[in-house]
Every structure is written in C-alpha cells, then in structure tokens.
Amino acid sequence: MYPAPVFDHLAHLSTPIGLFEHALLTEPRPEHGYCLDDVARGLVVTSRQLHPSPQVAALTATYLRFTLFAQDGLGRFHNRRDLAGRWTDTATVEDHWGRALWALGTAAAGTRDPRVRRAALDAAVVGMHQRSPWWHAMAYAALGAAEVLEVAPGNRAALALLADARTLLAEPADPAWPWPDARLSYANAVLPEALIALGTALGDDRTLRAGLDLLHWLVAQETHDDHLSLTPAGGWQDGDERPGFDQQPIEVAALAEACWRAFRATRQEIWLTYLDRCVGWLLGANDSGATLYDEVSGAGFDGLHADGVNQNRGAESTLAALSTLQLGRLALVQAVA
C-alpha cells in the first residue's frame, strides 16, 4: 500500500487567507505572498479527498474563498496577493485562470457540501465565458469544464468552452514530434489529459484517441530503464542529454492525473502501470534513488537533483505529492476490484 496523504505540512503553509507559495526547508516564506496557481491546486486536492477530515474541510473552505475572491466580474482571475490580502496584479486569462476553472469544476463535482458545490459551480460558469490564447491555460480550463458537465450535464458554457478548446488543442502536429512547442516544458501531461477529457465529454472518439496516443508518447519520452526520468525545469527536446535535472514534482503529478483519466476512459490496465511509476518516482524509483515525500508531515520536496533532493518543501511540490498519492491509492483499489 502506498503512504497515505498527510495534510499537516499543507496546513502549516496555509493561513485563513490562503496558501503561501514558497518554503525555506519546512517553514513558509510569507514575504513571497500567495498565488492562485497554488491555491487552485490545493482546492483540487482537498476537494477530492475521500472522507475529508475537519482539517481538510477547513482547507477546502479557505482555498475556495481565495479562488472566488480572485475572480473579477468578467470571469478573469487575479493571481498574486500580498500578506494584507491585496491583489498585486491585474486579472487575466493566463495559466492561473485555467487552473482556477479546473479547481472550481473539481470542487463542484467532488465535494459533498452543497454550499461549496453551488458556489464553485456558479463561479466556474462565469469563468468559462472567457477564453485564453495559451494552450496550457485552455487545457486546464477544459478539465474544469469536463468536471462541470459531471454535475450539470448540458451546461452551455462548459460545452462551448470544450468546443473552443478542442479547436485550439487538437491541431495536427508533426508525427516525428507530436507536440505544439519545440520543447517539452512543465506539467506537460495536461495536454493529453485535456484531449482525453474533451473526447470523453463530447463523445469525440478521434480526439480521445489523439489524447491517448499523445500520452503514450509522453510516457515513453519520460521513461528510462522502467522508471520515470522526467522533463527537467529547463525543458527538454530531442538531442538533449538524459537524465536532466532539476526534475519537478509538478511534472509527475500532471502525468499521474492524465494516466488516471486515461484509465477511467478506457479501463486499460496499462494506465495503472504508468500511474504506479508516478508514485514510484516520488518514493525513490527515479534517476537519483531519492525519496521526495515525507510520510510524517506530508511535505513534498521541491526538486530532484543528481545528488539528491531540494530540501525546501513549498506548496507546489507538496500538493504534487499529495495529488499523486491520492490517485495512486485510488488505482490500487481499482487494481484489486
């Protein structure tokens, strides 16, 4: 059995306002403030925790308040917030907009509290009237729209966003390098996951197959000697040296999310095998043989290097670890079912 997600360190990084982005070793760094990118990831993780403890329920409430307050009247979102609770940027439709919609859709579909579900759904519908020109943002938004359809079948805003996302994301690519950019970058698996979600939600077998094929390709690119060798923070393309370091937990979390969605769409066991590799990467089956999850506190380490791990334990890495373990444990239940 995989270790259980423990939420103590996440709670340590959180305040009644939100979630601090960075940590120095185990201690939060308040001087860097809060960002919606991480709060939205936090809302995804806490919203889908089965049988949430009072601690997790309180975190869900905090992260939902932050996300709702970040939205402007047009459905765009602020990202950066200071210690006093002031927004320090303008509202946009960049990646944090997409992650916010993913989080709101997940909260609407995954929580049992009807007040949380209603507030999240209402805000998601407003946000889905916007569009982003960036594929990362639209991919995350598509995941949120697919979640909305789980609780509001036929929702027009969700269907319209999915249709537009399909146009942007499913553009033909060079079979020799079937990726929209010259280099792999970060959270790469959100693209094939979004295509799988689109194909499933819209009943589009061609888009579903494109997503599955692209995910197979990505797993192959990020596998070495039967363990994951992830795209480093600086990106990767054909011809670059392998393995590359500083490997980031956000990459393994995105891959785990995509493999779990692929399994639910196909029921094919290969996706559970790939998901097991994701959990294994956290627990030491990686290029350095180092563990990136603290089973006692629930902290995730900030990166994998040739000589070990980055000892800082920030929000993004902690949430990536918790998310991957959540999905791994769900996969174990499916494997024995």
Side-chain angles (χ1 to χ4, degrees), residues 185-189 218 222 230-231 248-256 320:
S185 56
Y186 69 95
N188 294 289
L218 182 61
E222 298 198 311
L230 299 176
T231 299
Q248 301 281 302
I250 188 177
E251 183 66 15
V252 84
L255 202 58

Side-chain angles (χ1 to χ4, degrees), residues 192-231:
E193 185 187 3
L195 293 172
I196 294 166
L198 285 164
T200 303
L202 299 178
D204 180 348
D205 289 342
R206 182 175 180 179
T207 298
L208 172 61
R209 173 49 54 190
L212 295 170
D213 289 346
L214 189 60
L215 184 55
H216 273 298
W217 176 86
L218 182 61
V219 171
Q221 300 304 309
E222 298 198 311
T223 297
H224 176 69
D225 289 341
D226 294 326
H227 69 260
L228 291 181
S229 180
L230 299 176
T231 299

Side-chain angles (χ1 to χ4, degrees), residues 238-250:
D238 275 339
D240 287 357
E241 184 178 350
R242 284 283 201 185
F245 299 98
D246 165 31
Q247 295 177 29
Q248 301 281 302
I250 188 177

Side-chain angles (χ1 to χ4, degrees), residues 69-131:
F69 189 44
Q71 189 177 49
D72 75 359
L74 298 177
R76 303 167 301 188
F77 287 86
H78 296 277
N79 190 30
R80 297 284 173 182
R81 196 175 184 188
D82 66 18
L83 291 180
R86 296 180 297 250
W87 298 106
T88 62
D89 61 356
T90 58
T92 70
V93 290
E94 297 178 17
D95 284 5
H96 60 274
W97 165 82
R99 290 193 184 98
L101 294 184
W102 176 37
L104 292 168
T106 302
T111 57
R112 296 182 179 180
D113 187 330
R115 295 168 299 177
V116 171
R117 294 167 73 99
R118 184 75 257 169
L121 180 59
D122 288 347
V125 169
V126 173
M128 287 187 298
H129 286 96
Q130 292 287 336
R131 298 291 183 268

Side-chain angles (χ1 to χ4, degrees), residues 11 24 62 91 128 147 162 196 230 271 307 325:
L24 179 61
T62 295
M128 287 187 298
E147 294 294 333
L162 289 174
I196 294 166
L230 299 176
W271 301 114
D307 58 353
L325 288 171

